Short mmCIF file of all heavy atoms in Angstrom, two decimals:
data_model
loop_
_atom_site.label_atom_id
_atom_site.label_comp_id
_atom_site.label_asym_id
_atom_site.label_seq_id
_atom_site.Cartn_x
_atom_site.Cartn_y
_atom_site.Cartn_z
N HIS A 33 100.03 71.36 89.60
CA HIS A 33 101.16 71.13 90.50
C HIS A 33 101.27 69.63 90.77
O HIS A 33 100.37 68.87 90.44
CB HIS A 33 101.06 71.96 91.78
CG HIS A 33 99.86 71.69 92.63
ND1 HIS A 33 99.67 70.51 93.30
CD2 HIS A 33 98.79 72.47 92.93
CE1 HIS A 33 98.53 70.59 93.98
NE2 HIS A 33 97.96 71.75 93.76
N ASP A 62 105.68 72.21 93.72
CA ASP A 62 105.69 73.12 94.87
C ASP A 62 105.13 72.50 96.15
O ASP A 62 105.59 72.81 97.23
CB ASP A 62 104.91 74.42 94.55
CG ASP A 62 103.44 74.16 94.19
OD1 ASP A 62 103.05 72.98 94.08
OD2 ASP A 62 102.69 75.13 94.01
N HIS A 63 104.18 71.58 96.01
CA HIS A 63 103.44 71.16 97.20
C HIS A 63 104.22 70.26 98.15
O HIS A 63 104.12 70.42 99.35
CB HIS A 63 102.13 70.50 96.79
CG HIS A 63 101.00 71.48 96.67
ND1 HIS A 63 101.01 72.51 95.77
CD2 HIS A 63 99.85 71.59 97.36
CE1 HIS A 63 99.91 73.22 95.91
NE2 HIS A 63 99.18 72.68 96.87
N ILE A 108 105.81 78.63 94.63
CA ILE A 108 104.41 78.24 94.82
C ILE A 108 103.62 78.69 93.59
O ILE A 108 103.77 79.83 93.13
CB ILE A 108 103.83 78.87 96.10
CG1 ILE A 108 104.64 78.46 97.33
CG2 ILE A 108 102.36 78.46 96.27
CD1 ILE A 108 104.25 79.19 98.61
N ILE A 109 102.80 77.82 93.09
CA ILE A 109 102.03 78.02 91.87
C ILE A 109 101.46 79.44 91.75
O ILE A 109 101.64 80.11 90.74
CB ILE A 109 100.94 76.92 91.79
CG1 ILE A 109 100.03 77.03 90.58
CG2 ILE A 109 100.09 76.83 93.03
CD1 ILE A 109 99.19 75.75 90.35
N HIS A 110 100.78 79.93 92.78
CA HIS A 110 100.11 81.23 92.68
C HIS A 110 101.07 82.40 92.86
O HIS A 110 100.69 83.55 92.66
CB HIS A 110 98.95 81.31 93.68
CG HIS A 110 98.13 80.08 93.69
ND1 HIS A 110 97.53 79.60 92.54
CD2 HIS A 110 97.86 79.17 94.66
CE1 HIS A 110 96.91 78.46 92.82
NE2 HIS A 110 97.10 78.19 94.10
N ASP A 129 93.69 73.51 92.33
CA ASP A 129 94.15 74.01 93.62
C ASP A 129 93.19 75.11 94.06
O ASP A 129 92.94 76.05 93.30
CB ASP A 129 95.57 74.57 93.49
CG ASP A 129 96.13 74.89 94.85
OD1 ASP A 129 95.78 75.96 95.40
OD2 ASP A 129 96.86 74.06 95.40
N SER A 130 92.68 74.99 95.28
CA SER A 130 91.61 75.90 95.68
C SER A 130 92.06 77.36 95.80
O SER A 130 91.23 78.26 95.73
CB SER A 130 90.99 75.43 96.99
OG SER A 130 91.98 75.20 97.95
N HIS A 131 93.35 77.61 95.97
CA HIS A 131 93.79 79.01 96.12
C HIS A 131 94.14 79.70 94.81
O HIS A 131 94.76 80.77 94.80
CB HIS A 131 94.94 79.11 97.13
CG HIS A 131 94.46 78.82 98.52
ND1 HIS A 131 94.54 77.56 99.07
CD2 HIS A 131 93.82 79.59 99.42
CE1 HIS A 131 93.99 77.59 100.27
NE2 HIS A 131 93.54 78.81 100.51
N THR A 132 93.70 79.10 93.71
CA THR A 132 93.90 79.71 92.40
C THR A 132 93.28 81.10 92.33
O THR A 132 93.74 81.98 91.59
CB THR A 132 93.31 78.78 91.31
OG1 THR A 132 93.87 77.49 91.50
CG2 THR A 132 93.63 79.26 89.92
N THR A 134 93.77 83.43 94.13
CA THR A 134 94.83 84.42 94.41
C THR A 134 95.08 85.28 93.18
O THR A 134 95.30 86.49 93.25
CB THR A 134 96.16 83.70 94.74
OG1 THR A 134 95.91 82.70 95.72
CG2 THR A 134 97.22 84.66 95.22
N ASN A 222 93.47 85.69 97.65
CA ASN A 222 93.83 84.34 98.08
C ASN A 222 92.80 83.75 99.04
O ASN A 222 92.48 82.56 98.99
CB ASN A 222 95.21 84.42 98.77
CG ASN A 222 95.65 83.11 99.41
OD1 ASN A 222 95.32 82.84 100.56
ND2 ASN A 222 96.37 82.29 98.67
N GLU A 226 88.47 80.78 101.18
CA GLU A 226 88.11 80.54 102.60
C GLU A 226 86.76 81.17 102.94
O GLU A 226 86.18 80.92 103.98
CB GLU A 226 89.20 81.09 103.53
CG GLU A 226 90.61 80.62 103.24
CD GLU A 226 90.74 79.11 103.06
OE1 GLU A 226 89.97 78.37 103.69
OE2 GLU A 226 91.59 78.70 102.25
N PHE A 329 105.36 80.26 111.66
CA PHE A 329 105.56 79.95 110.24
C PHE A 329 105.23 81.16 109.39
O PHE A 329 104.13 81.71 109.48
CB PHE A 329 104.66 78.77 109.85
CG PHE A 329 104.80 78.34 108.41
CD1 PHE A 329 105.83 77.49 108.04
CD2 PHE A 329 103.92 78.77 107.44
CE1 PHE A 329 105.98 77.08 106.71
CE2 PHE A 329 104.05 78.38 106.11
CZ PHE A 329 105.09 77.53 105.74
N GLY A 331 105.07 81.99 105.44
CA GLY A 331 105.12 81.39 104.11
C GLY A 331 103.72 81.24 103.56
O GLY A 331 102.79 81.89 104.03
N SER A 332 103.56 80.41 102.52
CA SER A 332 102.30 80.09 101.84
C SER A 332 101.96 81.10 100.76
O SER A 332 102.44 82.23 100.75
CB SER A 332 101.11 79.95 102.79
OG SER A 332 100.49 81.20 103.00
N CYS A 333 101.05 80.67 99.86
CA CYS A 333 100.63 81.55 98.77
C CYS A 333 99.88 82.76 99.27
O CYS A 333 99.63 83.70 98.52
CB CYS A 333 99.78 80.76 97.77
SG CYS A 333 98.36 79.95 98.52
N THR A 334 99.52 82.79 100.56
CA THR A 334 98.85 83.96 101.12
C THR A 334 99.86 85.07 101.42
O THR A 334 99.63 86.23 101.11
CB THR A 334 98.13 83.60 102.44
OG1 THR A 334 97.53 82.33 102.30
CG2 THR A 334 97.09 84.63 102.80
N SER A 336 103.89 85.13 101.34
CA SER A 336 105.29 84.70 101.24
C SER A 336 106.04 85.51 100.20
O SER A 336 107.08 85.09 99.73
CB SER A 336 105.33 83.23 100.83
OG SER A 336 104.75 83.10 99.53
N GLY A 393 108.46 76.76 98.43
CA GLY A 393 107.46 75.70 98.27
C GLY A 393 106.34 75.92 99.26
O GLY A 393 106.34 76.90 100.02
N CYS A 394 105.38 75.01 99.25
CA CYS A 394 104.24 75.13 100.17
C CYS A 394 104.65 74.80 101.60
O CYS A 394 104.14 75.35 102.56
CB CYS A 394 103.12 74.19 99.74
SG CYS A 394 102.45 74.61 98.13
N SER A 395 105.59 73.87 101.72
CA SER A 395 106.18 73.55 103.01
C SER A 395 105.11 73.22 104.05
O SER A 395 104.14 72.53 103.74
CB SER A 395 107.07 74.72 103.45
OG SER A 395 107.76 74.43 104.62
N LEU A 396 105.25 73.77 105.24
CA LEU A 396 104.34 73.40 106.34
C LEU A 396 103.03 74.17 106.33
O LEU A 396 102.31 74.16 107.33
CB LEU A 396 105.05 73.53 107.67
CG LEU A 396 106.05 72.39 107.88
CD1 LEU A 396 106.80 72.55 109.20
CD2 LEU A 396 105.33 71.05 107.87
N CYS A 397 102.70 74.82 105.21
CA CYS A 397 101.35 75.37 105.08
C CYS A 397 100.35 74.23 105.24
O CYS A 397 99.27 74.41 105.76
CB CYS A 397 101.19 76.03 103.72
SG CYS A 397 99.50 76.47 103.34
N PHE A 398 100.74 73.06 104.77
CA PHE A 398 99.90 71.87 104.96
C PHE A 398 100.79 70.70 105.28
O PHE A 398 101.97 70.69 104.95
CB PHE A 398 99.02 71.60 103.73
CG PHE A 398 99.71 70.84 102.63
CD1 PHE A 398 99.26 69.59 102.24
CD2 PHE A 398 100.81 71.39 101.99
CE1 PHE A 398 99.90 68.90 101.23
CE2 PHE A 398 101.46 70.69 100.97
CZ PHE A 398 101.00 69.44 100.59
N THR A 415 99.56 81.48 107.08
CA THR A 415 98.87 80.68 106.07
C THR A 415 97.39 81.05 106.02
O THR A 415 96.96 82.05 106.60
CB THR A 415 99.05 79.19 106.37
OG1 THR A 415 98.62 78.95 107.71
CG2 THR A 415 100.52 78.80 106.26
N ASN A 416 96.59 80.20 105.35
CA ASN A 416 95.20 80.54 105.12
C ASN A 416 94.20 79.59 105.77
O ASN A 416 93.01 79.84 105.73
CB ASN A 416 94.95 80.58 103.61
CG ASN A 416 95.62 79.40 102.92
OD1 ASN A 416 95.45 78.27 103.33
ND2 ASN A 416 96.41 79.67 101.90
N ARG A 417 94.67 78.48 106.32
CA ARG A 417 93.72 77.50 106.86
C ARG A 417 94.15 77.07 108.25
O ARG A 417 95.30 76.69 108.46
CB ARG A 417 93.65 76.27 105.96
CG ARG A 417 92.93 76.57 104.69
CD ARG A 417 92.47 75.34 103.96
NE ARG A 417 91.65 75.80 102.84
CZ ARG A 417 91.74 75.35 101.59
NH1 ARG A 417 92.59 74.38 101.30
NH2 ARG A 417 90.98 75.84 100.66
N ARG A 422 95.51 70.58 109.73
CA ARG A 422 96.01 71.16 108.49
C ARG A 422 97.54 71.21 108.47
O ARG A 422 98.18 70.93 107.47
CB ARG A 422 95.43 72.56 108.30
CG ARG A 422 96.06 73.38 107.19
CD ARG A 422 95.62 72.92 105.83
NE ARG A 422 96.22 73.75 104.77
CZ ARG A 422 96.02 73.57 103.48
NH1 ARG A 422 95.25 72.59 103.07
NH2 ARG A 422 96.59 74.35 102.60
S1 SF4 C 501 100.93 77.44 100.00
FE1 SF4 C 501 99.39 76.26 101.09
S2 SF4 C 501 97.44 77.04 100.42
FE2 SF4 C 501 98.97 77.78 98.99
S3 SF4 C 501 98.97 76.35 97.30
FE3 SF4 C 501 100.51 75.65 98.76
S4 SF4 C 501 99.46 74.23 100.16
FE4 SF4 C 501 97.90 75.39 99.03
#
Side-chain angles (χ1 to χ4, degrees):
Chain A
H33 61 68
D62 60 354
H63 270 62
I108 302 172
I109 178 166
H110 315 304
D129 188 280
S130 51
H131 290 94
T132 307
T134 311
N222 174 273
E226 307 311 329
F329 181 82
S332 88
C333 56
T334 320
S336 63
C394 297
S395 186
L396 286 178
C397 169
F398 83 117
T415 54
N416 43 50
R417 288 197 173 134
R422 169 75 179 179

